[in-house]
Amino acid sequence: MSERTDIDTKKLKARMMKRRRELLKLGAADQESVKPLNVDQTSEGRLSRMDALQSQAIEREFERRRHHELQRIESALHRIEEGEYGYCAVCGDEIAVKRLENDPTTPVCINCAKDNGHTS
Ligand SMILES: [Zn+2]
């Protein structure tokens, strides 16, 4: 495999590096806000507890997605280093330029994404 010449790998890489910095920053901010549920049972009662639980669930989901995206970025950056970037991890075909520009971290071509039920 040789490096793709039809895609601007440098530009996509810069985009991913920027996104990674943002995600890491979000994570650092999260760590500070992690604290035990502090619910005022006397005034707001049940509702505020449910709100607190709900926002905790949202935070957990957010964190899960953040990790997932970071992993995708890391492996895409790794593929750039290896000169494998832009090629489908499953069938080895070239991934469409538009697809990469839409999501630079995507590891598979559109056909394999369909086959595997991936959403991206
Ligand atoms: Zn493929």
Side-chain angles (χ1 to χ4, degrees):
M1 274 186 227
S2 56
E3 260 181 64
R4 296 272 300 266
T5 51
D6 57 335
I7 48 173
D8 194 343
T9 310
K10 265 190 192 158
K11 207 171 108 190
L12 294 176
K13 184 179 175 179
R15 257 176 71 184
M16 287 190 282
M17 302 279 273
K18 183 167 175 275
R19 182 68 182 143
R20 183 170 68 169
R21 272 200 303 276
E22 284 170 6
L23 287 168
L24 289 172
K25 223 160 92 181
L26 284 172
D30 259 11
Q31 303 241 304
E32 281 165 32
S33 72
V34 171
K35 48 183 178 250
L37 266 183
N38 184 15
V39 182
D40 185 355
Q41 296 283 6
T42 52
S43 56
E44 301 294 331
R46 266 181 82 88
L47 257 182
S48 71
R49 180 167 166 76
M50 283 175 71
D51 281 351
L53 285 172
Q54 200 176 31
S55 70
Q56 229 188 19
I58 290 165
E59 265 174 46
R60 263 202 304 272
E61 174 64 13
F62 175 79
E63 188 60 11
R64 194 184 65 79
R65 285 181 196 200
R66 195 178 67 84
H67 271 280
H68 183 69
E69 195 177 347
L70 271 173
Q71 268 173 5
R72 281 172 65 102
I73 292 172
E74 293 294 344
S75 63
L77 291 173
H78 182 71
R79 287 196 301 279
I80 290 176
E81 297 299 316
E82 302 289 310
E84 293 167 2
Y85 185 73
Y87 295 95
C88 176
V90 179
C91 71
D93 270 0
E94 292 188 358
I95 300 171
V97 178
K98 266 192 182 169
R99 186 170 162 74
L100 286 169
E101 279 175 352
N102 182 48
D103 178 9
T105 68
T106 190
V108 294
C109 72
I110 187 99
N111 290 325
C112 294
K114 274 184 200 154
D115 288 351
N116 290 309
H118 283 288
T119 48
S120 58

